[in-house]
Amino acid sequence: GLVEGMAPDIAAEWFAGFMEQYPNIRFRILDGSTDDLLEKLRSGIISLAVITSPCDHSLLHSFHVGEEKMTVIMSRAHPLAADNGRKVRIKDLVGENLIVPSRKALIDTIYKWFRMVGEEPKIVCEMDSYLDAAALAGRQVGLSIYPRTAYIPNDSLVSKEIAGDKRMEYLFVWRKGHPLPVIEERFIDFVKDKVLDVTQQK
């Protein structure tokens, strides 16, 4: 299972490398939000996933595989889009209609960001699809808060990082207490080695 954002790009490198070692391997990949994928893990529909934090670690094995900055997607006509280069501060978003991912844990995080500046977010829409959120931002329904890799479909939109190092963490997860086939155990070890190599190179 793969969430949107950076996860497909991260995993594509793993798939390519693993297929070199096991040319006959076949994958079945399901997309979804973190909550969707956690439910699919619990029900046994999938056995491995890349999700975003936070999650309940008491039920899952997990390790960090990446992170990316959070951004605001807006219409080029919005006043915040005019200042090239400047990051968007949480204070800039006070009173603005906000379109956010529907995951409760992330919404709770957004509320924490606003409370740190003594304000509350004005969330008008929750949705999973980056494309749908971008479409609404383009029609000036609101400003969309999504990871930096969220797809920007046309030139009428602008994406700006949120100041203050606001980030999203990606985790590779699988269920505790549920033995996996040998090939999946090997894939986990392969991914761990890849992540370790990247960490050592930094």
Side-chain angles (χ1 to χ4, degrees):
L2 295 175
V3 293
E4 288 184 307
M6 194 174 160
D9 285 335
I10 297 172
E13 184 178 350
W14 304 336
F15 299 150
F18 199 66
M19 288 174 76
E20 288 179 5
Q21 293 186 18
Y22 298 93
N24 295 323
I25 195 72
R26 297 292 179 267
F27 297 94
R28 180 172 181 241
I29 302 168
L30 300 181
D31 299 320
S33 68
T34 290
D35 292 338
D36 291 338
L37 296 180
L38 288 173
E39 182 55 38
K40 287 181 171 66
L41 277 172
R42 281 190 287 268
S43 61
I45 294 172
I46 60 175
S47 50
L48 311 171
V50 178
I51 64 170
T52 54
S53 65
C55 66
D56 184 353
H57 292 276
S58 66
L59 303 175
L60 298 170
H61 297 287
S62 67
F63 58 91
H64 172 96
V65 293
E67 61 183 32
E68 64 180 325
K69 294 179 179 178
M70 296 297 287
T71 64
V72 180
I73 302 170
M74 67 193 80
S75 165
R76 193 171 291 279
H78 193 281
L80 287 176
D83 190 355
N84 290 333
R86 186 170 72 81
K87 295 180 180 179
V88 175
R89 300 165 302 175
I90 293 299
K91 282 187 176 181
D92 297 327
L93 302 177
V94 173
E96 295 281 357
N97 290 342
L98 300 178
I99 302 159
V100 301
S102 60
R103 190 174 183 220
K104 183 181 182 303
L106 184 51
I107 292 171
D108 289 345
T109 298
I110 291 170
Y111 268 91
K112 287 177 186 174
W113 296 346
F114 276 79
R115 286 171 182 158
M116 288 173 68
V117 297
E119 300 287 351
E120 295 281 316
K122 184 182 175 186
I123 296 173
V124 298
C125 184
E126 302 171 14
M127 59 187 0
D128 292 326
S129 168
Y130 296 167
L131 283 175
D132 294 344
L136 292 182
R139 293 291 183 179
Q140 301 191 56
V141 173
L143 306 179
S144 299
I145 298 179
Y146 280 85
R148 184 169 58 186
T149 52
Y151 175 59
I152 305 297
N154 60 60
D155 292 337
S156 68
L157 294 169
V158 172
S159 176
K160 291 193 168 207
E161 285 183 14
I162 300 176
D165 205 30
K166 304 292 190 288
R167 295 176 180 265
M168 176 179 287
E169 180 186 23
Y170 291 88
L171 302 172
F172 189 110
V173 298
W174 65 102
R175 290 185 299 170
K176 290 181 177 177
H178 293 269
L180 296 172
V182 171
I183 195 66
E184 293 186 7
E185 294 280 5
R186 289 180 182 173
F187 184 66
I188 292 169
D189 291 339
F190 177 86
V191 172
K192 283 181 177 176
D193 289 342
K194 282 285 186 186
V195 171
L196 183 60
D197 287 345
V198 170
T199 303
Q200 290 175 340
Q201 289 170 14
K202 289 183 178 179

